[in-house]
């Protein structure tokens, strides 16, 4: 590893908490189902992505159903979640991001295939416009947390300058203390600019984290990125990333605004504790909050991380919470990560187990164990737990031919009834949300395809 060093072995590893605890066959859908589906087919899947601020971006929008009194029945929960899903989707209006979307689409079509300058190193510490525009594209498509990937850390000493399209690649055309990609849309000047916002000594060197790396890159702690069209700023963001190999700590702050979307994230890490908080807002109103606190050992010990293939083996416990427009919360706690990963990786099929019933019993036993290690509760802004998300055996295939059991998450209500997610969020019950979502997608696609 070169510059990936601390950034990808520590900072990106925090993302892996979300993926190791929700994605690895993946605590299977705890967030994908427990959040996106609880959002009733809405677009943004807002995982605990590394980071958030103590300050709120703004109030929740005053929309959606009132807080319920007491524990709702499954049918009442469906009604409640349907109203939350509609209220959430109604906060997104494609026309409010029109100029940004059209610029991203234009860049994709006219400049998206350009290669980087030939003399640039094949590393990730230079600014690649495709990465920035790709992150912004995801942000304007509802995945607000993806916007943090629009900014990163760069080596300005090596790559600062003005770059413009020439032939099939970007070419340096002038000097600057910034990294500037200048291109043109219908005769208008557009610029994607990265700025070193740190002081003379506010920097770190990747070689601190990898003694096999001979390159002496110097990375500022704080970087700003902006996108303008004809002088009008359509996006701006900052990242303040401070790794410390000696003290075994890391911190990162992200703040990105694109059109009327804003994402903030904060990450703090030591050898024994990682904390992440993130918020996403539209028009100054907070739509989603996510937080994770994980505990373990050697979590910021770079020498250990370099040798560790399974980051989850370093974790002992993690608590996560997500809030959607102040109406729905998913609260999760996980322990014994290595065991959880092994259980989720197990196969219960015709080729591994002697017969169909033995496979079911084996899967059922492991589901009970998973439910001890992974606890997920669903709340509607009161202290009452409305439902749990638990694991149960699910059958795929035909018992007379090929069959396979799988540990699948289901929604379990206090009256003892359980539903798989397809069953609970059936298209008939949530038709209004489904239609609203499809209309929103079609409206966005019209903007994306306008000039193509």
């Amino acid at each position: 590893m070169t510059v990936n060093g601390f950034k990808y072995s520590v900072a990106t590893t925090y993302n892996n908490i979300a993926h190791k605890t929700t994605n690895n066959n993946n605590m299977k859908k705890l967030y994908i189902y427990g959040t996106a589906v609880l959002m009733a087919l809405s677009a943004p899947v807002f995982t605990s992505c590394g980071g958030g601020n103590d300050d709120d971006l703004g109030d929740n929008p005053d929309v959606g159903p009132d807080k319920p009194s007491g524990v709702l029945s499954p049918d009442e929960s469906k009604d409640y979640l349907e109203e939350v899903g509609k209220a959430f989707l109604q906060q997104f209006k494609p026309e409010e991001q029109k100029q940004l979307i059209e610029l991203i689409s234009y860049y994709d079509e006219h400049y998206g295939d350009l290669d980087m300058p030939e003399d640039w190193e094949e590393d990730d510490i230079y600014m690649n416009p495709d990465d920035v525009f790709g992150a912004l594209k995801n942000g304007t498509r509802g995945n607000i947390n993806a916007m943090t990937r629009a900014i990163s850390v760069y080596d300005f000493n090596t790559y600062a300058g003005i770059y413009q399209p020439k032939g099939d690649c970007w070419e340096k055309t002038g000097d600057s203390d910034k990294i500037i990609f200048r291109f043109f849309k219908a005769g208008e000047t557009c610029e994607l600019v990265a700025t070193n916002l740190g002081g003379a000594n506010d920097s770190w060197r990747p070689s601190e984290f990898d003694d096999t790396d001979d390159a002496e890159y110097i990375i500022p702690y704080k970087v700003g990125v902006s996108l303008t069209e004809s002088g009008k700023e359509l996006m701006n963001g900052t990242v303040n990333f401070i790794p410390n190999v000696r003290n075994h700590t890391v911190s990162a702050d992200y703040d990105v605004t694109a059109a009327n979307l804003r994402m903030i994230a904060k990450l703090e890490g030591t050898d024994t504790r990682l904390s992440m908080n993130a918020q996403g807002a539209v028009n100054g109103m907070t739509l989603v909050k996510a937080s994770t606190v994980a505990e373990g050992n050697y979590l910021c010990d770079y020498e250990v991380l370099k040798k560790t293939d399974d980051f989850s083996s370093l974790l002992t416990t993690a608590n996560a919470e997500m809030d959607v427009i102040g109406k729905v919360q998913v609260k999760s706690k996980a322990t014994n990560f290595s065991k959880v990963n092994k259980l989720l990786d197990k196969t219960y099929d015709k080729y591994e187990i002697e017969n169909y019933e033995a496979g079911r019993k084996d899967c059922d036993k492991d589901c009970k164990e998973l439910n001890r290690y992974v606890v997920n509760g669903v709340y509607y802004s009161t202290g009452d737990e409305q439902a749990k998300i638990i694991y149960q055996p699910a059958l795929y295939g035909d018992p007379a031919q090929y069959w396979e059991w799988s540990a699948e998450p289901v929604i379990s209500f206090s009256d003892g009834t359980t539903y798989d997610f397809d069953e609970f969020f059936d298209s008939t019950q949530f038709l209004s949300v489904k239609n609203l979502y499809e209309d929103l997608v079609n409206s966005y696609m019209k903007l994306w395809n306008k000039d193509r």
Side-chain angles (χ1 to χ4, degrees), residues 102-112 114 133 162-166 170-171 173 180-192 227-231:
E102 290 178 350
L103 180 57
I104 296 171
S105 181
Y106 188 89
Y107 172 88
D108 272 353
E109 183 173 3
H110 295 275
Y111 305 106
L114 293 180
F133 279 99
I162 301 170
Y163 300 87
Q164 294 184 220
K166 184 175 181 180
W170 293 96
E171 182 177 274
T173 60
I180 301 173
F181 287 91
R182 183 175 294 159
F183 57 99
F184 301 91
K185 178 190 174 198
E188 300 294 335
T189 301
C190 305
E191 288 189 341
L192 178 63
L227 174 65
T228 60
E229 180 180 357
S230 300

Side-chain angles (χ1 to χ4, degrees), residues 86 101 108 119 137 147 190 200 212-213 258 274 315 385 392:
K86 289 192 294 185
I101 290 172
D108 272 353
D119 59 342
K137 180 189 294 187
M147 294 199 311
C190 305
T212 65
D213 183 12
L274 309 176
L315 297 172
E385 183 180 73
Q392 286 186 352

